[in-house]
């Protein structure tokens, strides 16, 4: 399907600009008061002017330009480098929103030069994001990925999780667009975890809407609808008119795809109402195109053509080449179905040329297959074959099932007419396979129902036969008992009843013993977890006491706030036998952030292997934290800077493994310096827990600590095998 979600660029605009309108108005009023009170022409006034320009973006372009120009003049007079960089950055975004990409890139380059001259890392990372967005619009996907990677590296060093969320979402968008769905899902879920850690509702909503797009492309429309509705609920909550329009349009497309055109039209009409308020030509054009697609499927060609032409006209006014190509391809479909082959081919060729220019292979594949069909109908089989093969190749690269199915059908017909019946058969079989694999919930349910009814009937027939045989056997036995063997049979029955009673008693005793053991295990685990929580509280309160004694008032207040939040998470997790792996990672993330607040010298990362869905694994709570705590307390003796802690989770041979590495002094050096008679309480408790948990979960649970010098590296490495339930 070539019209699924044309608006991923505007995700960037959302991430930086779309917020609650009432709050935005209050912010603008507050900034105006600040400007009125601050008359001195200094960098503070320049920053206020820029913030006002920034706040008016997407609300009042004229005011944005006025404030931006005044800020630029003051920056130049003061030679304020950071202010100049910010102005060029916003100018680049303004040009990008008008699709003036060359001007946009020019402004971003100027902004980057200024930021680099003063080594302002956050500004540099933000510019790399802007470059990536523009690369995406120009279909320069690998260049965009390279820019996002540069931004991610800087945000990690700065521990800027908001920036990381933005980078991961945009990276996932490219993977989704280019058919690398596993990588896309992994990046989205990593962004989702980070968004939950920092309570970023915007980030959570963005992930939901983009997962909806991804599942639409894979043909899993019910799951796509679920994610679109989650995102729509957030848009309603924040009063985001533009966001609601987009999500309603997405829902309309999904319902079109599952064969519910009337429901789809309802959503598109609602979207149109919101779009008329915004005057957003790009989205209005896309919405008209989607309505046209509905009428095309209903074979109401006149109405379909009317909507596609409206979409085409609006797209040409703003030079939206991608939407123009989509319109030409859809108009080609209309004329092909009406057997107007020359007009259809002319439109397909226009779509092909534009899609090549913008490097959009999804539209290119559909256009090539449309051209192939026009030649097939006039029996120009060699020309049809050439275009069909090209279209099929692109469809296979991007995993476009609909286009692959269409290509197989066309090729089967071509080869049949060329007399190559073997290839015709192969392609027809491929067509059937692809047709069956495309998601069709209604047909699956019908097949399942028929299969169930058939098996149920078989079971009834079989039961009837067994019943007849059993009746005959009982009648024969009854007759025999009456004749001669009644006493013997009663003796056998008595023996069997006695045996059954004894077996039942033994089974009951064994069951009671097993339950007793299980209860003991649960009680032991609860006792061990209850030891774990006060131990952590004691250590944290010791740190807080030190801050108070050192008169670090602001730091101690911040620490206490974060400590109370983390304590709530730990206490909630400690009540349960198991917790979701995602919840445990949130607790670890909060713990590390809390510890870093004291010294501000840690660089830490938490990474999860792509094959692990953290929402499906349940693990014992407070199992990873003791090892992280030991690393922080003991690994960095006399090492004040450059402290690195890495936490990685992998799944190997059905074992969930957590690897914790540091660049500290190493376990061997620590053993030499450490009092041999003193044992780590947390490690001892965890060791005891693992023994019990291994029996309880019936999965391996263990840990090892090694010095990294055996690998010619510095520090220690902890390998923790975690028992789990999936």
């Amino acid at each position: 399907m070539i019209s699924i979600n044309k608006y991923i660029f505007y995700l960037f605009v959302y991430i930086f600009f779309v917020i609650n309108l009432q709050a935005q108005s209050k912010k603008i009023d507050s900034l105006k008061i600040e400007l009125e009170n601050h008359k001195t022409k200094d960098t503070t006034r320049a920053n206020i002017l820029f913030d006002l320009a920034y706040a008016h973006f997407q609300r009042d372009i004229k005011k944005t330009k006025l404030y931006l120009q005044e800020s630029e003049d003051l920056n130049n007079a003061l030679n304020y480098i950071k202010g100049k960089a910010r102005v060029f950055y916003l100018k680049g975004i303004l040009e990008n929103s008008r699709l003036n990409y060359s001007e946009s890139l020019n402004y971003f380059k100027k902004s980057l030069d200024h930021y680099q001259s003063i080594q302002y890392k956050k500004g540099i990372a933000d510019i790399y994001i802007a470059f990536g967005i523009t690369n995406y619009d120009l279909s320069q996907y690998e260049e965009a990925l390279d820019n996002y990677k540069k931004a991610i590296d800087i945000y990690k060093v700065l521990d800027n999780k908001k920036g990381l969320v933005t980078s991961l979402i945009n990276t996932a968008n490219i993977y989704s667009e280019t058919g690398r769905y596993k990588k896309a899902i992994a990046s989205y879920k990593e962004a989702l975890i980070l968004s939950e850690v920092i309570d970023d509702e915007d980030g959570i909503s963005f992930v939901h809407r983009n997962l909806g797009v991804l599942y639409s492309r894979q043909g899993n429309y019910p799951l796509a609808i679920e994610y679109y509705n989650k995102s729509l609920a957030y848009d309603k909550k924040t009063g985001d008119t533009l966001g609601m329009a987009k999500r309603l349009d997405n829902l309309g497309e999904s319902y079109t795809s599952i064969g519910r055109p009337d429901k789809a039209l309802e959503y598109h009409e609602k979207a149109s109402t919101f779009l008329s308020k915004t005057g957003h030509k790009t989205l209005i054009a896309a919405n008209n195109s989607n309505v046209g697609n509905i009428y095309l499927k209903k074979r109401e060609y006149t109405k379909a053509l009317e909507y596609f032409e409206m979409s085409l006209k609006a797209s040409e006014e703003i030079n939206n080449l991608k939407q123009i190509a989509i319109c030409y391809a859809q108009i080609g479909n209309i004329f092909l179905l009406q057997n107007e082959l020359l007009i259809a081919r002319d439109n397909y060729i226009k779509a092909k040329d534009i899609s090549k220019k913008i490097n959009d292979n999804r539209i290119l594949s559909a256009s090539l297959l449309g051209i192939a069909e026009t030649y097939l109908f006039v029996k120009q089989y060699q020309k049809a074959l050439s275009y069909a093969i090209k279209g099929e190749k692109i469809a296979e690269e991007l995993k476009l099932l609909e286009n692959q199915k269409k290509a197989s059908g066309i090729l089967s017909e071509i080869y049949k007419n060329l007399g190559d019946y073997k290839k015709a058969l192969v392609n027809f079989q491929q067509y059937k396979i692809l047709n069956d694999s495309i998601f069709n919930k209604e047909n699956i349910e019908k097949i399942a129902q028929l299969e169930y009814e058939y098996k149920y009937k078989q079971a009834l027939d079989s039961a009837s036969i067994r019943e007849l045989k059993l009746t005959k056997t009982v009648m024969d036995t009854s007759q025999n008992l009456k004749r001669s063997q009644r006493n013997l049979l009663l003796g056998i029955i008595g023996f069997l009843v006695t045996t059954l009673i004894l077996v039942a008693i033994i089974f009951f005793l064994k069951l009671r013993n097993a339950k007793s053991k299980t209860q003991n295990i649960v009680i032991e685990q609860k006792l061990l977890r209850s030891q774990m929580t006060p131990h952590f509280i004691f250590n944290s309160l010791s740190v807080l006491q030190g801050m108070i004694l050192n008169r670090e008032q602001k730091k101690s207040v911040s620490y206490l706030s974060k400590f109370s939040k983390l304590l709530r998470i730990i206490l909630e997790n400690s009540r349960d036998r198991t917790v979701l792996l995602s919840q445990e990672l949130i607790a670890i993330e909060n713990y590390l952030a809390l510890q870093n607040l004291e010294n501000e010298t840690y660089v830490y990362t938490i990474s999860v292997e792509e094959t692990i869905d953290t929402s499906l694994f349940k693990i014992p709570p407070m199992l990873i934290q003791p090892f992280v705590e030991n690393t922080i307390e003991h690994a960095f003796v006399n090492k004040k800077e450059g402290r690195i802690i890495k936490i990685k989770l992998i799944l190997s041979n059905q074992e969930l493994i957590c690897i914790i590495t540091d660049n500290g002094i190493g376990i061997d050096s620590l053993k030499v310096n450490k009092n041999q008679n003193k044992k780590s309480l947390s490690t001892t408790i965890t060791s005891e827990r693992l023994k019990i948990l291994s029996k309880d979960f019936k999965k391996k649970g263990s840990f090892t600590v090694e010095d990294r010098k055996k690998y010619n590296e510095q520090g220690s490495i902890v390998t923790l095998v975690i028992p789990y339930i999936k």
Side-chain angles (χ1 to χ4, degrees):
M1 187 176 184
I2 61 177
S3 60
I4 294 177
N5 201 304
K6 281 74 67 177
Y7 341 112
I8 297 178
F9 161 71
Y10 292 96
L11 169 67
F12 172 69
V13 178
Y14 273 170
I15 290 175
F16 289 99
F17 303 111
V18 177
I19 61 173
N20 187 283
L21 296 177
Q22 187 179 359
Q24 187 76 332
S25 297
K26 288 180 181 178
K27 182 180 178 181
I28 290 171
D29 292 339
S30 175
L31 287 168
K32 284 180 178 178
I33 293 168
E34 282 187 58
L35 187 68
E36 185 66 29
N37 293 334
H38 195 94
K39 301 292 185 181
T40 308
K41 292 188 175 181
D42 56 8
T43 57
T44 301
R45 183 174 176 84
N47 287 333
I48 296 170
L49 287 165
F50 175 83
D51 290 340
L52 276 164
Y54 198 89
H56 278 95
F57 183 77
Q58 285 206 332
R59 292 167 62 94
D60 191 329
I61 294 297
K62 287 184 179 179
K63 286 186 179 179
T64 297
K65 288 181 177 179
L66 285 171
Y67 285 120
L68 196 61
Q69 185 62 53
E70 194 175 343
S71 178
E72 184 176 24
D73 293 341
L74 187 53
N75 289 328
N76 291 333
L78 298 168
N79 195 27
Y80 179 32
I81 304 299
K82 186 176 177 182
K84 290 180 180 180
R86 296 175 80 196
V87 167
F88 283 131
Y89 172 61
L90 186 51
K91 281 187 173 183
I93 291 172
L94 286 167
E95 293 303 323
N96 199 313
S97 67
R98 289 196 286 266
L99 309 181
N100 296 329
Y101 298 125
S102 59
E103 277 298 307
S104 175
L105 288 169
N106 183 43
Y107 281 125
F108 290 147
K109 178 68 170 63
K110 289 179 181 178
S111 180
L112 181 63
D113 290 341
H114 283 307
Y115 279 137
Q116 286 177 333
S117 70
I118 59 173
Q119 284 299 298
Y120 182 55
K121 292 187 180 296
K122 183 185 179 300
I124 294 169
D126 291 345
I127 294 299
Y128 282 133
I129 290 288
F131 273 131
I133 294 296
T134 311
N135 290 143
Y136 175 87
D137 281 329
L138 295 169
S139 300
Q140 299 167 349
Y141 299 126
E142 297 310 314
E143 291 91 335
L145 285 173
D146 184 56
N147 279 306
Y148 293 145
K149 185 180 183 303
K150 289 176 184 176
I152 286 170
D153 291 340
I154 295 172
Y155 287 137
K156 281 183 178 178
V157 171
L158 298 175
D159 194 28
N160 186 328
K161 291 183 175 58
K162 180 77 172 178
L164 276 173
V165 168
T166 302
S167 306
L168 287 166
I169 290 173
N170 285 321
T171 299
N173 289 340
I174 292 179
Y175 286 140
S176 177
E177 182 72 12
T178 55
R180 290 173 273 184
Y181 297 125
K182 285 186 178 178
K183 285 188 175 182
I185 291 171
S187 292
Y188 282 137
K189 291 195 174 178
E190 189 177 351
L192 189 60
I193 290 171
L194 277 174
S195 299
E196 289 170 347
V197 167
I198 62 176
D199 295 326
D200 178 13
E201 288 188 323
D202 285 345
I204 294 168
S205 178
F206 300 146
V207 172
H208 285 158
R209 69 188 60 170
N210 284 282
L211 279 170
V213 173
L214 187 149
Y215 287 122
S216 289
R217 285 178 174 161
Q218 290 183 312
N220 193 342
Y221 299 111
L223 200 54
I225 289 168
E226 180 184 337
Y227 278 104
Y228 285 144
N229 277 317
K230 286 180 181 179
S231 183
L232 180 62
Y234 178 75
D235 292 330
K236 288 178 179 177
K237 176 182 173 183
T238 58
D240 181 1
T241 303
L242 194 61
M244 284 188 277
K246 288 183 180 183
R247 242 37 66 207
L248 290 165
D249 187 58
N250 292 143
L251 286 163
E253 287 184 274
S254 298
Y255 279 108
T256 300
S257 299
I258 60 175
R260 297 184 63 186
D262 294 332
K263 184 79 171 175
L265 278 173
E266 284 180 27
Y267 280 108
H268 285 303
E269 285 170 3
K270 289 177 184 177
S272 182
T273 302
F274 285 114
L275 288 171
S276 63
K277 296 176 183 177
T278 65
H280 201 299
K281 288 188 177 181
T282 301
L283 298 183
I284 290 170
N287 192 61
N288 283 333
S289 177
N290 291 329
V291 174
N293 192 44
I294 293 171
Y295 285 119
L296 176 60
K297 290 191 174 185
K298 294 174 76 172
R299 298 188 179 276
E300 296 182 30
Y301 300 129
T302 303
K303 275 191 175 181
L305 186 60
E306 178 186 338
Y307 276 97
F308 285 132
E309 286 178 344
M310 283 194 294
S311 178
L312 180 60
K313 183 180 178 182
S315 301
E316 286 174 339
E317 287 175 3
I318 57 175
N319 196 33
N320 185 342
L321 294 178
K322 187 172 183 178
Q323 187 60 42
I324 291 169
I326 289 170
C327 290
Y328 279 131
Q330 294 287 41
I331 291 170
N333 290 337
I334 292 172
F335 285 109
L336 180 69
L337 290 167
Q338 293 179 308
N339 209 28
E340 297 282 352
L341 302 179
L342 291 177
I343 302 175
R345 188 181 303 150
D346 181 57
N347 280 282
Y348 286 135
I349 289 170
K350 288 178 182 177
K352 172 182 72 71
D353 293 341
I354 295 171
S355 59
K356 275 188 176 180
K357 182 179 178 180
I358 63 174
N359 195 28
D360 192 312
N361 287 330
R362 302 172 73 83
I363 305 172
L364 179 58
S365 172
S367 304
L368 290 167
L369 294 174
I371 295 169
E373 278 196 281
T374 63
Y375 283 119
L376 173 61
F377 289 158
V378 293
K379 301 182 180 180
Q380 295 185 35
Y381 300 122
Q382 289 300 334
K383 283 189 176 181
L385 181 62
S386 172
Y387 283 105
I389 289 171
K390 290 176 186 175
E392 182 188 43
K393 183 180 178 183
I394 296 169
E396 287 175 350
E397 288 172 357
L398 296 182
K399 298 180 177 62
L400 305 173
L401 292 182
E402 285 285 357
N403 286 4
Q404 288 181 62
K405 182 185 84 170
K406 186 175 182 179
S408 297
I410 293 170
L411 286 168
S412 175
E413 191 67 24
I414 292 170
Y415 284 125
K416 184 178 77 172
N417 284 285
L418 289 174
D420 192 338
Y421 297 111
K422 183 177 179 181
K423 286 185 178 179
L425 178 60
V426 169
N427 278 279
F428 180 74
Q429 289 172 337
Q430 181 67 11
Y431 172 84
K432 292 293 291 179
I433 291 168
L434 289 166
N435 190 57
D436 292 340
S437 67
I438 291 173
F439 191 90
N440 188 325
K441 190 172 184 292
E442 185 179 349
N443 287 343
I444 290 170
E445 288 177 349
K446 285 181 180 178
I447 292 167
Q449 181 66 23
L450 289 171
E451 187 177 356
Y452 170 77
E453 290 174 357
Y454 171 70
K455 287 182 177 179
Y456 180 67
K457 187 175 184 302
Q458 277 190 320
L460 284 177
D461 292 343
S462 177
S464 298
I465 293 168
R466 287 198 303 274
E467 185 181 358
L468 288 171
K469 288 182 178 179
L470 183 61
T471 303
K472 187 176 183 299
T473 303
V474 170
M475 289 177 67
D476 291 340
T477 303
S478 298
Q479 289 174 358
N480 290 334
L481 283 172
K482 288 178 182 178
R483 291 185 190 130
S484 61
Q485 298 179 350
R486 182 175 297 163
N487 292 335
L488 178 60
L489 184 60
L490 289 172
I492 293 170
I493 291 170
F495 173 77
L496 290 173
V497 169
T498 305
T499 304
L500 285 171
I501 291 170
L502 290 172
V503 169
I505 291 169
I506 293 168
F507 177 79
F508 174 77
L509 292 172
K510 283 187 175 182
L511 182 63
R512 189 169 64 178
N513 186 46
K515 283 184 178 179
S516 177
K517 285 183 179 179
T518 303
Q519 286 174 347
N520 287 337
I521 289 170
V522 171
I523 291 167
E524 285 181 46
Q525 287 192 41
K526 286 183 178 178
L527 287 170
L528 291 172
R529 289 205 301 270
S530 68
Q531 292 177 51
M532 197 73 249
T533 302
H535 175 255
F536 160 74
I537 295 170
F538 173 77
N539 285 350
S540 299
L541 290 176
S542 297
V543 173
L544 181 60
Q545 183 185 27
M547 288 182 179
I548 295 169
L549 291 174
N550 291 333
R551 300 180 182 278
E552 297 176 4
Q553 185 177 356
K554 290 184 179 179
K555 203 171 183 179
S556 60
V557 170
S558 177
Y559 187 95
L560 184 59
S561 174
K562 291 180 179 293
F563 169 67
S564 62
K565 183 178 179 181
L566 177 59
L567 184 59
R568 178 175 58 80
I569 294 171
I570 290 172
L571 289 173
E572 286 176 355
N573 288 354
S574 296
R575 286 200 299 266
D576 300 320
R577 174 174 171 265
T578 60
V579 296
L580 289 174
L581 178 56
S582 58
Q583 291 177 299
E584 189 70 355
L585 289 177
I586 291 170
I588 296 298
E589 174 76 17
N590 277 279
Y591 176 75
L592 284 165
L594 186 64
Q595 294 300 320
N596 211 23
L597 184 65
E598 180 188 3
N599 299 312
E600 300 181 347
T601 56
Y602 295 106
V603 176
Y604 61 86
T605 59
I606 300 174
S607 59
V608 182
E609 192 177 56
E610 290 182 8
T611 55
I612 300 174
D613 187 339
T614 57
S615 64
L616 297 180
F617 286 76
K618 284 192 171 185
I619 67 168
M622 292 288 286
L623 202 56
I624 302 173
Q625 187 268 349
F627 296 97
V628 177
E629 182 181 349
N630 279 345
T631 299
I632 291 172
E633 287 187 1
H634 306 299
F636 302 108
V637 178
N638 300 325
K639 186 178 178 69
K640 301 299 181 184
E641 295 182 353
R643 301 176 176 183
I644 299 173
I645 300 172
K646 295 181 179 179
I647 301 170
K648 184 176 183 180
L649 281 108
I650 62 173
L651 192 65
S652 177
N653 297 324
Q654 299 303 310
E655 289 183 354
L656 182 61
I657 302 171
C658 178
I659 302 170
I660 305 168
T661 57
D662 64 71
N663 64 341
I665 63 172
I667 188 67
D668 291 346
S669 300
L670 187 62
K671 286 179 180 176
V672 172
N673 298 327
K674 190 178 177 183
N675 182 353
Q676 295 297 320
N677 295 321
K678 185 179 177 182
K679 280 193 173 182
S680 168
L681 175 62
S682 61
T683 306
T684 304
I685 294 171
T686 304
S687 179
E688 292 174 11
R689 284 187 70 198
L690 281 170
K691 289 177 184 177
I692 298 170
L693 290 167
S694 296
K695 295 177 183 178
D696 187 17
F697 284 68
K698 296 180 181 178
K699 283 187 181 290
K700 183 181 177 182
S702 64
F703 74 92
T704 57
V705 185
E706 300 173 276
D707 198 298
R708 294 174 66 191
K709 69 183 180 183
K710 66 190 291 186
Y711 306 111
N712 297 320
E713 297 172 350
Q714 183 179 347
S716 302
I717 180 168
V718 178
T719 305
L720 172 63
V721 180
I722 304 174
Y724 67 91
I725 299 170
K726 192 174 181 183

